[in-house]
Amino acid sequence: MLLRQLTVRDFRNLVSLDLEIPEGGVVIIGENGQGKTNLLEAIYYLVLFRSMRGARDRELVRFGQPGFFVAGDADSRVQTGYQLSGRKKKVTVDGTEVFRLADAVGRFVAIPFSPDDREIISGGPALRRRFLDVLLSLCETGYLAQLTTFRAALKQRNAALRNGGQAEAAAFDGVFSSAAEFVLGARRRWVERWRKRYSELCSRLGEVGDSDIEYKPRSDSAATAAEIREELDRTKERDIASGSTTTGPHRHDLRLLLAGKSIRRFGSSGQQRTAATALRLLEAAVIRESTGTTPVGLYDDVFAELDEGRQRRLLDVIGDVLPGQAILAAPRDAEIPGELFERPRWSMTGGRIET
Ligand code: ATP
Ligand code: MG
């Protein structure tokens, strides 16, 4: 997939950009705080119509402005605008307005690499679930729709529990259980199918111990809709007491292991970083193999702090797994490995690009 053209208006500190992106990609150099990450975030907005940093839409609007606009030409022209008044978001694909965002997700695909990715490993379970949910939404038909149904049922069930309505809460158990079965099944199959590849990617990046991923439900082993429903019945008292649904895929986790031990708990920061990079590369490999398109790579200062050996290894794996268009950002030339210099270089100051 190639991003040929990008238009941005009033997105964070980016006032107005109209860029022709070179086919082989580009290197963006700029001092701290100039808008490099904002530019990558604007590009990634075209993938999910949400911030890759988990920011709210209204935080993306340039201070003092009524809304933002981002559009890109890749396989199709994807265009999105957000207005603060009424919190309205509009998405069009090739000029046609899309009424369910799910229908536009995945029309443009990119993989965002960032030093913050380490939080996927070191942070709470929600970040790991999000990683998995985003990936499955991009490459498994029906996943996003089921996930959306699941979330809506969960929200309504929780609201009913908080209002003390046991019968009202139980009214959502059927929808909850069948959507949960789908979500859970897809996540488990994904882990089984890809754990070996994850381990290989870690080794290629220079990790010496054995790496592995496990899907980790909480205490429950429920898998089918009927079992999930039974579990809801069993935990009813607890749910009413806490005013929330205490069992289900929204409580599950992904465990990343190194030599049989949790990297989250015992890994060094370098090991956690390697694991996070491996997850991003795995994301690229999975999308490529399941959709047949090579995503655009968005690399936010990822070569910083890596010694030459690790840089070499990373470039090598990227060459195999994500050989397409690469958009790189860094504060200094020195942070970009030599062979990437062949790409055109742009400089960024105060949200403006000089080509
Ligand atoms: P670094 O090298 O430190 O990572 P960067 O070039 O990636 O820097 P960004 O994170 O892209 O920097 O941009 C940060 C700037 O964007 C900050 O100065 C911040 O004030 C500004 N900014 C963030 N959100 C908004 C917004 N909604 N409106 C206007 N400016 C914003
Ligand atoms: Mg940045």
Side-chain angles (χ1 to χ4, degrees), residues 12-13 31-38 59 61-63:
R12 296 216 190 249
N13 76 334
E31 288 175 9
N32 298 134
Q34 300 306 306
K36 302 180 300 295
T37 302
N38 295 347
E59 294 167 357
V61 177
R62 188 160 73 90
F63 301 145

Side-chain angles (χ1 to χ4, degrees), residues 3-133:
L3 180 63
R4 293 186 197 84
Q5 197 276 335
L6 178 75
T7 297
V8 184
R9 299 281 181 274
D10 292 330
F11 186 97
R12 296 216 190 249
N13 76 334
L14 313 172
V15 182
S16 175
L17 296 174
D18 293 278
L19 303 169
E20 305 296 324
I21 319 260
E23 206 174 301
V26 61
V27 174
I28 299 160
I29 303 287
E31 288 175 9
N32 298 134
Q34 300 306 306
K36 302 180 300 295
T37 302
N38 295 347
L39 179 61
L40 299 180
E41 189 180 30
I43 296 173
Y44 193 81
Y45 198 85
L46 298 172
V47 179
L48 292 181
F49 310 103
R50 277 165 58 182
S51 158
M52 65 188 181
R53 300 198 244 190
R56 301 190 169 100
D57 286 330
R58 60 186 137 93
E59 294 167 357
L60 305 176
V61 177
R62 188 160 73 90
F63 301 145
Q65 300 304 306
F68 67 77
F69 176 86
V70 184
D73 274 326
D75 292 353
S76 25
R77 179 162 178 85
V78 182
Q79 198 168 299
T80 173
Y82 173 81
Q83 290 297 316
L84 280 177
S85 68
R87 305 211 166 145
K88 274 202 288 287
K89 177 149 54 187
K90 183 175 161 177
V91 173
T92 67
V93 175
D94 291 330
T96 306
E97 186 168 357
V98 164
F99 290 96
R100 290 188 321 172
L101 281 188
D103 297 336
V105 165
R107 299 301 287 264
F108 171 66
V109 276
I111 308 289
F113 289 81
S114 150
D116 296 343
D117 288 344
R118 185 158 82 85
E119 284 169 32
I120 302 174
I121 310 295
S122 63
L127 294 170
R128 287 179 290 283
R129 285 194 298 267
R130 180 173 146 79
F131 171 82
L132 205 49
D133 287 341

Side-chain angles (χ1 to χ4, degrees), residues 125-126 129 133 150-151 154 157-158 176 180 183-184 187 215 218 232 244-253:
R129 285 194 298 267
D133 287 341
F150 171 76
R151 286 187 178 147
L154 174 65
R157 190 174 191 275
N158 287 348
F176 180 99
V183 167
L184 189 57
R187 288 182 183 171
Y215 188 74
R218 286 189 120 197
L232 288 175
S244 66
T245 305
T246 56
T247 176
H250 60 297
R251 294 295 184 101
H252 295 173
D253 200 355

Side-chain angles (χ1 to χ4, degrees), residues 283-295 318-324:
E283 186 178 358
V286 172
I287 291 178
R288 260 184 111 195
E289 281 172 40
S290 53
T291 69
T293 34
T294 303
I318 288 173
D320 280 352
V321 177
L322 197 51

